[in-house]
């Protein structure tokens, strides 16, 4: 399969591109951030007029996985117009081009479309109620994609892993700070379902292979608080979990409002894929094994912006 991956310098896009390149022909879309990546690169600012048409026409993919986004929730609050362009307009444009050319399309969305007020687990048919600019624009993106391209897959995700900057994911946040002996807060009242980014990539490719379509929750099968996640990561890495202070998110200084309950059901996904999703402990074991094997350094070596 010729696979076009946008956001190929991002946490998801880079890990996915690196993994997928083993069995597929990968073309990553990049804004001059990567160097010597082991896959083909197509340089483009996706907000440039005609960029979408140009990259699709040039790369002639069988499938597009759209990972590029304005994914920093606080930056979205500060730059709502840019957030709208990136998270709502752009996915619709890409989805439309793919529909016209009969190219499979996966759009990456977020668990944060829910307000977190539900007492139990969220299923795909539950009504979203986004709380901030990021979530609002992502939901708008989902809806426009489904409207122009009903064959598309819309995947609501949440993941952790090793990133190009070394600080994009929540797991890296805990490891960096605890490793430096610093105390951090861990939210006890934000529930989520983290999945190792590499497992997410495998599942997305399986969804393409199975020709799934429509809306799916593509998260880890186990819900936990962000505090509990920090403690699990700390213990696995031999770091001091008592440096993590349990705290309520409502008492934090974060700009954008965070939903309390982002426990998403993966029943539809595992049924349609006919597979058991990897357990949280399996993901964490693999994340630690990657660390032992120098994967974080390998990922960071692909950055353009190196000193010296
Ligand atoms: N991280 C999570 O846990 C999480 C949770 C829920 C949903 N998501 C969703 O998952 C997807 C991937 O997130 P992520 O964490 O991998 O994001 P990320 O690390 O912030 O990466 C964003 C990517 O988008 C690219 N990009 C931004 N603006 C661009 C533009 N104008 N033209 C071309 N490329 C542009 C960035 O390129 P540069 O490197 O050039 O800036 C980068 O490669 C997003 O849709 C996000 O909403 C993430």
């Amino acid at each position: 399969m010729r696979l076009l991956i946008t956001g190929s310098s991002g946490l998801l896009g880079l890990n996915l591109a690196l993994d997928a390149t083993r069995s597929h022909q990968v073309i990553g879309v990049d804004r001059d951030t990567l160097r010597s990546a082991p896959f083909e690169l197509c340089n483009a600012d996706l907000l440039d007029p005609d960029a979408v048409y140009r990259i699709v026409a040039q790369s002639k993919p069988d499938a597009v996985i759209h990972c590029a986004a304005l994914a920093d929730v606080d930056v979205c609050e500060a730059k709502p117009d840019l957030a709208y362009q990136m998270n709502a307009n752009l996915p619709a444009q890409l989805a439309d081009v793919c529909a016209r050319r009969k190219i499979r399309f996966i759009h990456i969305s977020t668990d944060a479309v829910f307000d977190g007020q539900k007492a139990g687990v969220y299923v795909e048919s539950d009504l979203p109620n986004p709380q901030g600019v990021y979530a609002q624009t992502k939901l708008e993106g989902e809806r426009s994609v489904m409207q122009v391209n009903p064959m598309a897959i819309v995947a609501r995700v949440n993941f952790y892993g090793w990133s190009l900057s070394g600080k994009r994911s929540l797991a890296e946040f805990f490891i960096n700070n605890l490793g430096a002996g610093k105390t951090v807060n861990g939210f006890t009242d934000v529930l989520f379902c983290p999945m190792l980014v590499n497992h997410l990539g495998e599942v997305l490719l399986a969804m393409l292979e199975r020709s799934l379509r429509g809306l799916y929750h593509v998260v880890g099968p186990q819900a936990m608080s962000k505090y509990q996640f920090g403690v699990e990561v700390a213990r696995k890495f031999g770091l001091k979990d008592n440096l993590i202070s349990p705290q309520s998110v409502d008492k934090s200084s974060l700009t954008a409002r965070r939903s309390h309950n982002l426990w998403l059901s993966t029943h539809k996904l595992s049924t349609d894929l006919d597979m058991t999703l990897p357990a949280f402990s399996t993901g964490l074991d693999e994340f630690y094994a990657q660390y032992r094997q120098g994967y974080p350094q390998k990922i960071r070596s692909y950055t353009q912006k190196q000193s010296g």
Side-chain angles (χ1 to χ4, degrees):
M1 202 163 33
R2 272 179 76 76
L3 209 53
L4 183 71
I5 299 176
T6 67
S8 62
S9 53
L11 175 56
L12 173 57
L14 181 54
N15 280 280
L16 174 61
L18 291 171
D19 291 346
T21 206
R22 291 191 214 115
S23 42
H24 300 282
Q25 209 180 338
V26 171
I27 307 116
V29 181
D30 174 48
R31 286 193 296 184
D32 236 3
T33 309
L34 295 174
R35 62 161 203 142
S36 54
F39 49 86
E40 201 182 310
L41 284 174
C42 175
N43 240 282
D45 184 323
L46 289 165
L47 294 182
D48 282 351
D50 299 332
V52 162
Y53 299 95
R54 178 174 63 80
I55 58 164
V56 174
Q58 271 176 7
S59 57
K60 296 188 176 49
D62 301 304
V64 174
I65 306 184
H66 180 46
C67 305
L70 191 63
D72 182 317
V73 293
D74 295 322
V75 174
C76 287
E77 291 295 322
K79 298 181 177 175
D81 292 343
L82 181 62
Y84 191 83
Q85 288 300 315
M86 276 305 295
N87 297 340
N89 273 359
L90 173 62
Q93 209 187 343
L94 255 176
D96 184 47
V97 171
C98 289
R100 287 171 199 279
R101 292 177 181 243
K102 304 216 174 338
I103 297 166
R104 303 292 324 281
F105 185 68
I106 299 187
H107 174 57
I108 305 298
S109 188
T110 176
D111 54 356
V113 294
F114 294 115
D115 61 17
Q117 297 299 314
K118 189 172 177 180
V121 61
Y122 281 102
V123 292
E124 283 80 352
S125 54
D126 280 324
L127 207 60
N129 184 23
Q131 293 301 293
V133 173
Y134 169 70
Q136 280 154 9
T137 55
K138 292 294 288 187
L139 179 64
E140 181 79 23
E142 282 188 2
R143 289 181 171 159
S144 328
V145 165
M146 294 313 294
Q147 202 174 0
V148 298
N149 189 342
M151 298 303 289
I153 293 170
V154 173
R156 290 182 179 149
V157 302
N158 200 304
F159 53 88
Y160 65 96
W162 299 108
S163 67
L164 195 66
S165 66
K167 50 188 180 189
R168 170 75 188 120
S169 77
L170 185 62
E172 291 172 311
F173 165 82
F174 283 117
I175 292 163
N176 294 341
N177 282 292
L178 302 181
K182 293 184 187 163
T183 52
V184 290
N185 292 324
F187 301 134
T188 48
D189 52 0
V190 176
L191 211 60
F192 74 138
C193 303
M195 183 180 241
L196 180 67
V197 68
N198 311 87
H199 288 163
L200 172 59
E202 283 168 25
V203 172
L204 293 172
L205 293 175
M207 292 171 83
L208 271 183
E209 273 148 27
R210 285 285 180 116
S211 298
L212 300 189
R213 50 175 279 205
L215 178 63
Y216 283 90
H217 291 170
V218 189
V219 293
Q222 191 182 331
M224 65 187 69
S225 72
K226 297 223 165 170
Y227 169 75
Q228 193 186 343
F229 176 75
V231 169
E232 296 281 350
V233 170
R235 288 183 183 161
K236 175 57 67 180
F237 281 74
L239 298 166
K240 289 185 179 155
D241 60 41
N242 60 4
L243 289 174
I244 309 174
S245 316
Q247 208 210 38
S248 164
V249 71
D250 294 335
K251 294 206 175 105
S252 77
S253 55
L254 296 171
T255 315
R257 240 176 104 189
R258 265 63 170 186
S259 303
H260 285 285
N261 170 25
L262 294 176
W263 177 21
L264 270 53
S265 166
T266 50
H267 179 74
K268 180 183 177 195
L269 177 68
S270 50
T271 304
D272 290 1
L273 277 182
D274 193 19
M275 72 182 264
T276 307
L277 296 175
F280 174 73
S281 59
T282 308
L284 191 57
D285 286 349
E286 193 166 326
F287 183 61
Y288 183 63
Q290 290 174 333
Y291 169 74
R292 302 274 300 176
Q293 289 155 10
Y295 186 73
Q297 289 80 3
K298 184 180 146 193
I299 283 265
R300 287 203 288 273
S301 75
Y302 296 126
T303 186
Q304 190 84 269
K305 295 168 197 135
Q306 290 197 327
S307 54

